[in-house]
Amino acid sequence: MASTVTFDELCEGARNFAHLALGAHAEGQMDVFLLEAGVSVERLAKAVLVRVHPTLLSEVKGNDDMLLHLAGATPIPPRRLHTIGAGTAIARLRKMGVLPRSEELDGLIELRNGVAHLGASTGDDYLGIFVDTICLLLDHLDHDRTEFWGTWSELAQVTLDNRFDLVQKAVRLRVSQGRFRLEARFGALPEGTVESIAKAIGEAGLVITDFNRTRARFRMLTRCPACGAEAAALLLSAEPQTTLLYEMELTTEGLQCGLCGFHLTGEEEVTAAGLSPTMRCKVEDLTGTLDDDPLAAGELFTVLNSGGLKWFDESF
């Protein structure tokens, strides 16, 4: 009698939970990511053990009903289908030379089991070890990685790629996640929906968002590096000494897409995304509106047209 705990069921479960985990990570639901990632690792670890022999899923202590069933000696499974936990499965795979010892993997399983407190870590800390462990197990099973990861194949590949530094890798991961979110949110809607929404939320021109004596901040619409929609707000700033009379040299501080949630913060991430860290805009491109204070914006607009931000100290 074959066991009701089958290799194919365990592999399929591992794949489903892996996709749920990465989807949760993309949405910023880190507690859900840790839970689903831990279950995925456990399922695939058990699949490797089942491939050797189903009895490897049984506990050594306790009664032997499960052991007998997994060995095919009894046709009816026990009333409670209880197998080893993730920690024991991983420990057995380490003894078999399938998995290396890893404090990060142990931490992931502890968080999944609720042993450790989430406050000390984030899901980002465990994304790499999750993907790496799954890929090690897939390779041991000679199972195609692309087939397992499906739409998440690019993200898995980026996670394991050592050619990029931490900033480049973080930006590339966010690009993959942004594309996933766009598809999850708008994939089932009629063609042209994304473009219509992008036009509705977009705001043409160079918009003043804040200013004081030392710095002015702006935003302008640009194409999102992740989803490709013309719905990303490019966040810019200027200092008095870098501003010209008729042109302003602006520093790119970040980006936020209103459709897919992709974001960039700081010069390093901006450069890693392929955007220029500085750009020049004409004074006449200013809209003359400020998010919270249109009257102040009018004053700033006048100041800029009168000689640039270098007039701040004299005028305010």
Side-chain angles (χ1 to χ4, degrees), residues 193-232:
T193 299
V194 171
E195 290 76 9
S196 298
I197 296 176
K199 289 180 181 179
I201 66 176
E203 191 172 6
L206 186 64
V207 181
I208 307 163
T209 61
D210 181 45
F211 78 94
N212 54 42
R213 293 178 180 273
T214 60
R215 182 177 296 271
R217 287 184 170 84
F218 312 84
R219 71 166 180 264
M220 65 182 301
L221 198 63
T222 190
R223 187 172 299 278
C224 176
C227 68
E230 196 83 19

Side-chain angles (χ1 to χ4, degrees), residues 108-179:
L108 172 61
I109 299 304
E110 287 179 357
L111 284 167
R112 179 255 175 176
N113 292 336
V115 176
H117 294 290
L118 180 57
S121 305
T122 69
D124 289 325
D125 298 328
Y126 294 96
L127 178 62
I129 190 62
F130 165 59
V131 173
D132 184 52
T133 301
I134 291 292
C135 287
L136 283 174
L137 295 174
L138 291 173
D139 293 346
H140 180 79
L141 293 169
D142 199 25
H143 190 99
D144 185 73
R145 292 184 180 185
T146 302
E147 180 183 345
F148 181 91
W149 292 115
T151 56
W152 293 108
S153 294
E154 181 183 357
L155 183 143
Q157 189 173 7
V158 170
T159 302
L160 299 176
D161 200 327
N162 294 321
R163 294 176 299 171
F164 304 100
D165 61 29
L166 292 177
V167 173
Q168 291 173 317
K169 184 172 288 190
V171 170
R172 286 169 61 87
L173 287 172
R174 267 183 251 150
V175 166
S176 295
Q177 292 173 336
R179 291 170 181 168

Side-chain angles (χ1 to χ4, degrees), residues 208-287:
I208 307 163
T209 61
D210 181 45
F211 78 94
N212 54 42
R213 293 178 180 273
T214 60
R215 182 177 296 271
R217 287 184 170 84
F218 312 84
R219 71 166 180 264
M220 65 182 301
L221 198 63
T222 190
R223 187 172 299 278
C224 176
C227 68
E230 196 83 19
L234 194 63
L235 308 178
L236 306 158
S237 69
E239 297 179 0
Q241 62 269 27
T242 61
T243 304
L244 306 179
L245 180 59
Y246 299 109
E247 283 190 336
M248 297 179 293
E249 185 171 308
L250 306 181
T251 299
T252 308
E253 293 189 333
L255 177 142
Q256 180 69 51
C257 180
L259 283 181
C260 73
F262 177 75
H263 68 278
L264 298 170
T265 304
E267 183 178 344
E268 281 190 285
E269 290 190 357
V270 167
T271 304
L275 301 177
S276 174
T278 61
M279 64 181 301
R280 287 197 173 189
C281 292
K282 296 179 180 179
V283 172
E284 55 261 34
D285 292 334
L286 288 165
T287 63

